[in-house]
Amino acid sequence: MAHAIAPVPGSTTMELALKIWRYNAETGAKELRRYEVEAPDWATLLDVLDIVKDKHDGTLAYRKSCRMMICGSCGMRMDGAAVLACKTRMWDIAQSGHEPVISPMGNLPVVKDLVVDMSPFWGKIRAVKPWLEPGYDEVAEKERIVSQQQMNVIHKEALCIMCGCCVSECNSMESDPEFLGPAALAKGFRFVGDARDQTAPERLSDLNSEHGIWDCTRCYFCNERCPKGVDPRDAIAKLGAESIKEGIDHDMGAKHAKWFVTSAKTTGWLRETELVPKTQGIVSAIKQTKFALGLAKRGKVPPPVPPHVADRVKESRALYNLVKEQGRDGALGIVQGEHALGRIEFTEEAGVRELAPELQPGVEPPHAEG
Amino acid sequence: MRRVAYYKGCLASLSAKELDTSTQALAPRVGLELIELESVTCCGAGDIHEAEPDYYLHLNARILAYAEATGADTLLTVCNVCTLNLRQANWQLKNDEALRERVSTNLQRVGVPPYNATVEVRHLLWEIAEGEGYELLKATAHRGLKGLRIAPFYGCQILRPSKILGFEDPDRPWSLERIIEACGGEAIDYPAKVKCCGFPIIQAREETALGELIQPIEQAKDAGADAIVTPCPLCHLSLDAWQSKLRAATGKDFRMPILHLSQLVGVAAGLEESELKFPLRHLLTIGGAVSGAAASRGPAPEPSSGVEL
């Protein structure tokens, strides 16, 4: 296909049409307006919007700043999927003849056209205390160096530019607007996993609130949409694993997760019938009796006795014991994403969970490695 | 006939046995000989990944090792959650030699065969949406769905993260539509077909989950669907069994029948009711809802007697 090969940048131009949802919050008027523009071959969606605003319709509202994928201002939806406008090249779309529909991000109130009100987003970021709590007040006389190995643990989460693309598509937040959401929780892990921070247990306790970690429905839209490779869903799993490691497991979500572990090492298969009482407690489970009987009538509640036990289940138990001995508990056990590969061995040697050394006035801090 | 290792997972083994029965009945018609794995466990359903991630990796490596030991190059799954958990572990083990060596050594220490990363994890959906499986499906689906309007519901973990799944565009998937059409049905389009059914949090956050699962059911109903089909037994359970709670919470009685992928194709392939088992094992009986839907929109495009639902 000819359009698959992009031209030498700047050598030609392209014609394209796009439709933009226009919205006036004062009048409530909404309208899908179509624009035809001529743009340089290298143009991104943001460049195209600039052309629309400069040459066709000066009333169009959208946010922008850096134009180079680092400020996080130009998050918006193209054909329903959140993108950074400045990262989205338009050449292939123009060649295909497709007319994309541009709309504001989801899960945030619209101010005008493509501009959303980010205050709920910032409120949630602030709620996770996005600052270091090093546990001392003195000002260091010399800089304190953190090793590359220690920072690798939170490398992905630290890449976040807070554009809101993950939040835009979060399925849990659509249903529960108070959910802290993928951006704030990834930010939460960025500090929980920071070797210098002395408040991880308190942070984890806060993040185990009603609208915290266990509200995530694992739809993976956040990982799919993030333009920077943060993989917020994985950060949420890391927070869950760290919470359980710290014994913070009062939430029904944590109890639910732990029951799968118990099931795997005792019978091998999920002990489904016991899942509800183990997750919600006996009282709540009894309240569900009528619902459960309805399921049972259709063969949806397997009897717990005799248990469905996997062949050679003792291997599964032995694996559990072996893995626990090896001590890769918590977030350290999660390998995900190309940047994270190999991180386990890397960080373990560096002793990532070790507390950062206390500053001694007049004593030189340890040198960074690498 | 292609030999593939078959991983049922918890639901098809226990509360959704109809998924296993219909998959076993369908497999030979689409060119698959299933080697059932005897010594495997739960994949952890994303829960063990979140509670004890290193144990999750080892449990899944163990399943992959037993699949590899059958000599098959494919591990067939019938559940989205199993698919993601196994593929994610496989991806890590294939791409990180040091990690694979550690996990493989651990497996051998407890008596499991080592894992050499030769297995590919594939969902039944992918096997029958393209290639030889699709050709055989077209040939076997001769009884057809007779113009039934079917809403495809993908669920999340067969589409996202696409880095791990990667079969089709997660925003514009086509496989279920292609299968519905090959079976003589009409595929209904609606935005929530790629969204979440709420199942992972249905125990811990039921209200949030209901807010999610109403979307596909309501949209499919509004678009005139006779039934929803899904490749995931967890989506199936949530959409089917929790409809009564949705009714209690919202007052809306959708009575939308939900089918497993293998059942939908099984109907078109003329499998016996004993092999499909839906009136027996589903919360909503299909017959009444489907004939009701057909009556309310006038005569069906073709006589509906061909599909005895």
Side-chain angles (χ1 to χ4, degrees):
Chain A
M1 291 190 294
H3 73 263
I5 303 162
V8 174
S11 62
T12 184
T13 58
M14 59 184 168
E15 306 277 333
L16 83 160
L18 72 171
K19 296 174 193 146
I20 303 175
W21 273 108
R22 305 297 305 272
Y23 175 70
N24 182 333
E26 281 165 22
T27 63
K30 256 184 105 174
E31 182 197 349
L32 187 61
R33 212 174 288 171
R34 186 173 180 276
Y35 299 91
E36 283 179 20
V37 299
E38 186 182 6
D41 50 45
W42 45 260
T44 63
L45 174 56
L46 183 58
D47 297 318
V48 171
L49 294 178
D50 282 348
I51 293 168
V52 170
K53 192 171 173 72
D54 290 349
K55 298 191 175 169
H56 300 266
D57 188 344
T59 66
L60 178 66
Y62 53 98
R63 280 203 184 93
K64 65 169 183 175
S65 179
C66 78
R67 312 170 59 93
M68 49 186 279
M69 298 172 268
I70 198 63
C71 76
S73 300
C74 65
M76 59 186 68
R77 277 176 164 167
M78 183 163 82
D79 292 327
V83 295
L84 279 185
C86 69
K87 194 188 172 189
T88 307
R89 298 263 176 202
M90 300 305 281
W91 174 261
D92 285 352
I93 291 169
Q95 300 312 302
S96 73
H98 172 63
E99 295 184 6
V101 174
I102 313 302
S103 55
M105 290 197 292
N107 279 328
L108 293 160
V110 183
V111 177
K112 181 175 190 292
D113 299 339
L114 305 175
V115 177
V116 292
D117 176 6
M118 293 289 278
S119 23
F121 177 94
W122 297 120
K124 287 168 183 175
I125 294 283
R126 267 193 295 275
V128 305
K129 300 184 186 150
W131 55 81
L132 202 62
E133 298 272 16
Y136 57 80
D137 294 326
E138 325 90 282
V139 178
E141 287 178 7
K142 291 188 174 180
E143 65 178 329
R144 183 148 102 193
I145 297 170
V146 179
S147 72
Q148 182 62 53
Q149 286 92 330
Q150 286 175 312
M151 291 311 285
N152 281 338
V153 175
I154 51 171
H155 172 69
K156 288 177 80 171
E157 291 76 15
L159 293 173
C160 176
I161 58 170
M162 299 191 276
C163 60
C165 286
C166 59
V167 163
S168 166
E169 324 283 282
C170 175
N171 279 199
S172 276
M173 206 185 287
E174 277 181 14
S175 186
D176 172 14
E178 288 183 63
F179 176 40
L180 275 173
L185 288 170
K187 187 63 72 189
F189 183 74
R190 185 252 168 274
F191 288 98
V192 165
D194 192 310
R196 298 163 295 179
D197 196 273
Q198 302 295 308
T199 60
E202 292 86 343
R203 288 179 184 277
L204 287 170
S205 187
D206 290 349
L207 298 175
N208 271 266
S209 62
E210 189 189 347
H211 305 288
I213 302 170
W214 305 103
D215 215 5
C216 167
T217 193
R218 300 184 197 148
C219 68
Y220 282 91
F221 266 109
C222 53
N223 282 21
E224 197 62 43
R225 295 290 186 249
C226 174
K228 302 301 278 188
V230 172
D231 287 340
R233 164 61 212 158
D234 299 344
I236 297 170
K238 290 171 193 171
L239 288 170
E242 285 293 299
S243 300
I244 286 172
K245 181 185 161 197
E246 294 291 329
I248 303 167
D249 55 5
H250 56 83
D251 194 283
M252 285 195 282
K255 293 192 170 106
H256 188 269
K258 284 177 76 177
W259 186 246
F260 277 80
V261 178
T262 306
S263 297
K265 64 182 187 190
T266 51
T267 64
W269 294 108
L270 174 62
R271 290 158 61 180
E272 279 183 72
T273 312
E274 296 150 276
L275 183 62
V276 178
K278 291 293 175 187
T279 301
Q280 302 182 347
I282 295 293
V283 176
S284 181
I286 289 170
K287 286 188 193 153
Q288 307 262 12
T289 305
K290 193 178 158 206
F291 180 63
L293 286 175
L295 294 181
K297 254 185 8 202
R298 295 287 175 184
K300 295 274 174 200
V301 183
V305 185
H308 177 71
V309 181
D311 187 37
R312 301 168 75 94
V313 69
K314 64 176 194 316
E315 291 173 2
S316 168
R317 192 155 38 232
L319 266 183
Y320 178 80
N321 293 333
L322 186 59
V323 161
K324 292 305 274 185
E325 270 170 35
Q326 294 177 351
R328 286 167 175 81
D329 289 353
L332 214 52
I334 290 185
V335 197
Q336 172 100 346
E338 62 275 28
H339 300 299
L341 288 177
R343 189 195 286 166
I344 286 189
E345 309 305 329
F346 201 27
T347 52
E348 220 169 50
E349 278 174 26
V352 65
R353 300 309 306 174
E354 277 176 22
L355 302 178
E358 274 185 39
L359 275 190
Q360 301 288 332
V363 178
E364 196 159 330
H367 288 287
E369 297 161 27
Chain B
M1 202 69 81
R2 198 156 68 84
R3 296 175 80 241
V4 295
Y6 171 44
Y7 178 70
K8 274 197 258 190
C10 294
L11 260 78
S13 305
L14 297 164
S15 62
K17 280 186 180 153
E18 73 280 6
L19 171 60
D20 178 45
T21 318
S22 51
T23 301
Q24 302 254 17
L26 178 68
R29 311 253 185 134
V30 292
L32 298 173
E33 182 189 339
L34 306 183
I35 313 164
E36 203 171 314
L37 296 177
E38 299 291 342
S39 308
V40 290
T41 63
C42 172
C43 70
D47 278 76
I48 299 183
H49 179 250
E50 186 146 7
E52 301 277 359
D54 203 28
Y55 184 41
Y56 146 79
L57 186 61
H58 283 76
L59 272 184
N60 283 270
R62 183 173 173 274
I63 299 166
L64 292 162
Y66 277 117
E68 190 173 67
T70 66
D73 61 3
T74 298
L75 175 57
L76 186 80
T77 51
V78 288
C79 168
N80 288 8
V81 175
C82 300
T83 306
L84 174 60
N85 277 269
L86 284 160
R87 281 187 71 89
Q88 178 173 274
N90 205 24
W91 191 85
Q92 292 161 357
L93 295 164
K94 282 189 174 191
N95 287 292
D96 186 343
E97 214 172 306
L99 182 71
R100 185 167 76 243
E101 193 160 322
R102 177 172 83 84
V103 172
S104 215
T105 305
N106 284 342
L107 291 180
Q108 290 175 80
R109 279 178 66 185
V110 303
V112 180
Y115 182 52
N116 300 305
T118 64
V119 170
E120 200 54 46
V121 180
R122 285 175 63 84
H123 192 289
L124 174 68
L125 171 65
W126 303 345
E127 291 293 332
I128 59 176
E130 63 175 9
E132 197 188 343
Y134 177 68
E135 295 306 321
L136 289 165
L137 166 74
K138 276 198 298 190
T140 196
H142 55 88
R143 279 188 61 182
L145 294 172
K146 312 287 180 196
L148 274 180
R149 293 173 181 174
I150 307 292
F153 182 73
Y154 285 87
C156 299
Q157 298 186 11
I158 202 162
L159 297 173
R160 296 177 298 272
S162 58
K163 184 171 72 182
I164 305 290
L165 280 323
F167 179 78
E168 56 195 326
D169 181 341
D171 294 314
R172 278 164 285 277
W174 48 266
S175 58
L176 278 172
E177 283 84 345
R178 192 175 197 216
I179 290 166
I180 291 165
E181 277 153 25
C183 291
E186 183 192 334
I188 297 286
D189 195 24
Y190 62 109
K193 70 182 180 183
V194 296
K195 291 175 76 175
C196 184
C197 73
F199 194 81
I201 52 169
I202 214 159
Q203 299 282 349
R205 299 286 189 279
E206 190 172 83
E207 206 179 316
T208 308
L210 287 176
E212 295 182 72
L213 85 90
I214 192 174
Q215 295 183 33
I217 297 178
E218 190 160 50
Q219 290 178 13
K221 189 89 183 174
D222 289 349
D226 295 318
I228 291 177
V229 65
T230 175
C232 179
L234 295 164
C235 298
H236 183 281
L237 190 54
S238 145
L239 298 174
D240 179 48
W242 263 260
Q243 271 188 59
S244 61
K245 293 213 176 184
L246 211 50
R247 186 175 59 232
T250 66
K252 293 179 181 173
D253 189 7
F254 296 105
R255 301 203 59 76
M256 175 62 72
I258 317 292
L259 301 181
H260 297 290
L261 173 64
S262 51
Q263 289 177 320
L264 180 90
V265 177
V267 171
L271 296 183
E272 296 299 320
E273 203 159 279
S274 64
E275 296 167 308
L276 300 171
K277 290 193 187 294
F278 35 58
L280 204 61
R281 294 189 60 95
H282 288 203
L283 273 285
L284 295 163
T285 50
I286 313 293
V290 169
S291 52
S296 69
R297 66 155 192 267
E302 286 183 55
S304 61
S305 57
V307 185
E308 289 154 16
L309 287 171

